Amino acid sequence: MTEHEHVRVAVIGSGFGGLGAAVRLRREGVTDFVVLERAGSVGGTWRDNSYPGCACDVPSHLYSFSFAPNPDWPRTFSGQEHIRAYLEHVTDVFRLRSHLRFNSEVKMMTWDAEKLRWGIETSSGFLTADVVVSATGPLSDPKIPDIPGIDTFPGKVFHSARWDHDYDLRGKRVAMIGTGASAIQIVPSIQPDVDRLTLFQRTPPWVMPRVDRAISGAERWLHRQLPFTTQARRGLLWGIRELQVQAFTKRPNELGMVEQLAKRNMARAVKDPALRAKLTPDYRIGCKRILLSNAYYPALTRPNVDVVASGLAEIDGSTLVAADGSTAEVDAIVFGTGFHVTDMPIAERVVGAEGKTLAEVWRTGMKSLRGATAAGFPNWMTIIGPNTGLGNSSMILMIESQLNYMADFVRQLEVLGGRAALDARPGAVDAWNHKVQERMKRTVWNTGGCNSWYLDANGVNTTIWPGTTSEFRTATRRVDLGEYEVLRAPEPATEPVTESASSSRTKNTRKKKAEAGA
C-alpha cells in the first residue's frame, strides 16, 4: 500500500467474516476498500488450524455463504483443506484479489475526531479509512496457559492452531493438553503413530456420534444441475437447528434425554468402568459445546493412551505434573487450550474518541450494540462481536446477518452525506446488553454448571447469542439512527471577503441611481 493511502472502508482479516464483508461491499457498489490480512493468504482460522484431523462440526452445506453455495462439497462434514479451498474460490469468483493487502498486520487503529476517520498503522505501511470493519474473529489468537516450569521443557511445544508440520510425532511421547473441539480431532489422528499419548483432561466433554459420510457423485451432480436442491438441503439443516434452540435457551432440563444418548455413545466404545467415570461430565450437556466424533472414545481405550483426569499444574524438565500429582515423561507438548475469546488482542489496538483503547473500555466485560458497534468508537464495527456466537448452528448465518447491518451502516452514512460518522449511544449499548443478559439467565450456558470459554473473567457470558439465528437477523436488518449519535466534521473557517475598489464604486453608483429614481 502507499504510505498515505485513504479508503472508504478498511476490513481487518480475510476469514469468513472479512471475505463476506468484501463481497457485500462490492454488491453495495462500494469498491474503495481494502482487506488487511496479517498472513500471506486468505482463510483466517481455516488457514491457521491445519492440525491432523482438523474438520468442521457443522454440516458443509450450512457452513458456507448463502450467496456462494457449493454443490461439490465432498463430505457432509468438511475437512479443513476443503473449507480453505472454498474460501480461496470465493475470493476468486467475487474478484477480491485486488482489494487484499497481505502481510499487513494491524498494529494500531486511532480515531481522528477532527477529520472523522481512522488512522491505521500496519506492518506494511500507514493508511486512513472512513469506516473500519474488524473481522479478526474470536478464534484467531491462541491461548497457552502460563504453566510454571514451561521454560525448562527441553522438547517441542506448540499450540493446535500453530501446528509444527516439520516436527515428526512418530515414535514420540506426546502430551495433549485440553479436551476441546481441536483435541478430540487430534487425539485419534496421532494416536496410531506416537509411542505414548498422555491426555491431560481438566474437564471431560460431552461427545455425540459424528454422522459423517462421503457425498456421492450423483448428489453433487443433482446439486449442480438443480441449484434449488442445494438450497433445500441447506434450509433443512438450518430448520432442524432452529428448532433445537429452545432447549438450549429456555428449557435446559429437556437436554437430559440427549445426555443419555451421549452416555450410550461412550459406553459402546469404552468398556472400562474406571475410564468411563473419568470421561463422564458432571454438568448439563450443552453448557460447553457438544462435540462430535466417532473416533475419540475408541482412541482413548488403546494401550498407548493414558487419560489424566486433572489439569496440567507444572513442568519439571521433561516431566509433566498434573494437579492430582500424577506425572508423565514426554518429548512433545501440544496445547489444545483454546483462544483469547473474551479478551481479544485486537481490542488493545483500537483507540477511540476519548483516547482509550477498546480493551480498556471492555475491561469489565465486552458489550456492544447488536454485536457490532461500541460507544466511543465511531464508524468502527466488528463481525462476530460480543454475544454473537452460537452453541448449535453455523456461524456463517450470524456473519451474514452482521453483513446486512454493515451494509445499512454504510448506506446511512451515504444518506447523511458529507463528512459524517455514527457513534453508538452508551444508553443504546447498555439497553441491548441488558436485554441479552436477561435472556441469558435461564440458558444452559449459564445454568448448566460448567465453567466454559463462553464466560469472561467475571463469569459473564459475553460470547453466545441467547436466541435463534432468525431472531438475530431481524434485530440486525437495519440500522436505527436513534441508537446513534451523528457526528459531523467541523466546517472549515471562511476568510472575510474584502471588497475591491472597483466593486465598491459600482455599488455606490447603483445606490445613487436608486435614490434619484425615488
Side-chain angles (χ1 to χ4, degrees):
M1 66 184 70
T2 58
E3 186 178 357
H4 296 294
E5 182 179 10
H6 177 77
V7 293
R8 180 62 170 156
V9 183
V11 179
I12 318 299
S14 66
F16 268 99
L19 294 180
V23 172
R24 190 56 187 269
L25 287 170
R26 285 185 64 92
R27 292 175 68 181
E28 292 293 320
V30 179
T31 57
D32 183 18
F33 70 90
V34 294
V35 179
L36 303 173
E37 170 55 56
R38 66 183 177 185
S41 60
V42 302
T45 190
W46 294 106
R47 175 199 59 235
D48 296 341
N49 286 268
S50 59
Y51 58 79
C54 183
C56 189
D57 60 1
V58 175
S60 305
H61 287 89
L62 193 58
Y63 199 79
S64 48
F65 290 121
S66 63
F67 55 79
N70 179 17
D72 288 313
W73 288 116
R75 301 194 66 84
T76 52
F77 289 88
S78 292
Q80 175 263 345
E81 67 278 15
H82 301 124
I83 297 174
R84 185 177 180 186
Y86 170 77
L87 290 173
E88 292 282 359
H89 177 71
V90 168
T91 303
D92 291 329
V93 166
F94 291 94
R95 297 180 295 172
L96 304 179
R97 297 284 175 190
S98 62
H99 298 282
L100 293 167
R101 303 289 189 272
F102 291 127
N103 303 308
S104 298
E105 181 177 9
V106 172
K107 301 295 186 181
M108 193 64 67
M109 292 178 274
T110 306
W111 176 248
D112 186 330
E114 182 178 344
K115 296 181 179 179
L116 295 189
R117 61 177 52 170
W118 287 93
I120 307 172
E121 179 188 351
T122 80
S123 57
S124 64
F126 180 83
L127 75 158
T128 56
D130 296 328
V131 178
V132 169
V133 178
S134 179
T136 58
L139 306 182
S140 57
D141 292 286
K143 178 187 289 184
I144 294 181
D146 186 14
I147 305 295
I150 192 170
D151 293 336
T152 70
F153 184 70
K156 192 70 177 179
V157 179
F158 52 86
H159 191 278
S160 59
R162 300 292 184 267
W163 196 270
D164 189 340
H165 292 277
D166 294 328
Y167 184 77
D168 191 354
L169 291 177
R170 288 178 296 181
K172 301 293 197 308
R173 300 168 299 174
V174 181
M176 181 76 227
I177 315 300
T179 52
S182 299
I184 71 158
Q185 295 178 342
I186 293 170
V187 166
S189 298
I190 67 174
Q191 175 271 320
D193 298 322
V194 302
D195 176 60
R196 188 140 214 95
L197 178 59
T198 303
L199 176 67
F200 285 80
Q201 171 193 268
R202 188 174 59 179
T203 308
W206 285 105
V207 182
M208 295 289 284
R210 182 184 179 87
V211 188
D212 187 25
R213 64 173 179 83
I215 298 177
S216 68
E219 289 175 274
R220 296 198 297 271
W221 178 88
L222 182 65
H223 291 330
R224 283 194 300 271
Q225 299 303 314
L226 301 173
F228 76 87
T229 61
T230 305
Q231 298 170 1
R233 187 171 191 160
R234 177 186 176 91
L236 178 62
L237 293 168
W238 168 79
I240 292 172
R241 281 155 181 78
E242 289 289 273
L243 293 174
Q244 295 171 346
V245 171
Q246 295 292 325
F248 287 87
T249 60
K250 296 180 180 179
R251 297 187 288 271
N253 288 335
E254 293 183 0
L255 293 167
M257 186 181 301
V258 184
E259 283 184 14
Q260 295 305 313
L261 296 174
K263 288 180 178 179
R264 287 181 199 151
N265 178 52
M266 183 196 306
R268 281 194 294 268
V270 182
K271 305 303 181 184
D272 180 6
L275 181 56
R276 277 207 309 273
K278 286 183 179 180
L279 300 177
T280 302
D282 62 357
Y283 55 87
R284 175 64 75 196
I285 193 170
C287 184
K288 288 173 175 276
R289 190 174 181 94
I290 301 172
L291 306 182
L292 306 178
S293 177
N294 300 326
Y296 179 64
Y297 285 143
L300 298 183
T301 66
R302 299 295 184 257
N304 67 333
V305 177
D306 296 314
V307 177
V308 178
S310 181
L312 179 61
E314 62 177 308
I315 299 173
D316 183 9
S318 59
T319 303
L320 273 58
V321 183
D324 64 2
S326 57
T327 62
E329 294 286 328
V330 302
D331 304 305
I333 303 174
V334 179
F335 282 99
T337 46
F339 300 84
H340 290 276
V341 175
T342 60
D343 58 341
M344 294 185 290
I346 191 67
E348 299 175 356
R349 307 180 185 189
V350 186
V351 181
E354 297 182 0
K356 295 181 179 179
T357 66
L358 188 59
E360 290 175 309
V361 173
W362 281 354
R363 183 169 291 132
T364 57
M366 298 193 304
K367 59 180 181 179
S368 65
L369 176 58
R370 304 181 187 274
T373 55
F377 296 82
N379 282 11
W380 183 92
M381 58 194 321
T382 181
I383 306 296
I384 314 184
N387 291 113
T388 60
L390 295 177
N392 75 312
S393 193
S394 172
M395 280 305 303
I396 312 306
L397 301 170
M398 301 296 279
I399 288 173
E400 290 198 33
S401 292
Q402 292 199 289
L403 297 183
N404 290 339
Y405 197 74
M406 177 204 73
D408 198 49
F409 191 99
V410 174
R411 281 189 221 113
Q412 295 293 344
L413 290 175
E414 292 296 328
V415 170
L416 290 170
R419 293 163 61 192
L422 295 176
D423 188 9
R425 295 182 182 276
V429 174
D430 290 340
W432 173 261
N433 189 64
H434 176 75
K435 182 168 63 174
V436 168
Q437 292 304 323
E438 282 297 308
R439 293 185 63 179
M440 193 72 72
K441 287 180 179 179
R442 58 179 174 172
T443 68
V444 69
W445 306 299
N446 275 36
T447 65
C450 72
N451 182 20
S452 73
W453 56 267
Y454 300 151
L455 309 180
D456 65 14
N458 301 309
V460 179
N461 191 328
T462 58
T463 305
I464 296 294
W465 167 246
T468 64
T469 61
S470 54
E471 285 178 297
F472 188 76
R473 176 153 295 201
T474 299
T476 54
R477 194 176 302 279
R478 294 283 185 271
V479 169
D480 179 0
L481 285 181
E483 296 181 327
Y484 288 88
E485 180 183 356
V486 178
L487 307 180
R488 292 284 187 183
E491 293 295 331
T494 57
E495 293 293 330
V497 178
T498 302
E499 291 184 329
S500 65
S502 60
S503 64
S504 179
R505 284 195 297 269
T506 301
K507 289 175 67 177
N508 288 336
T509 300
R510 290 175 178 168
K511 183 178 179 181
K512 289 179 179 178
K513 288 183 177 180
E515 291 174 348

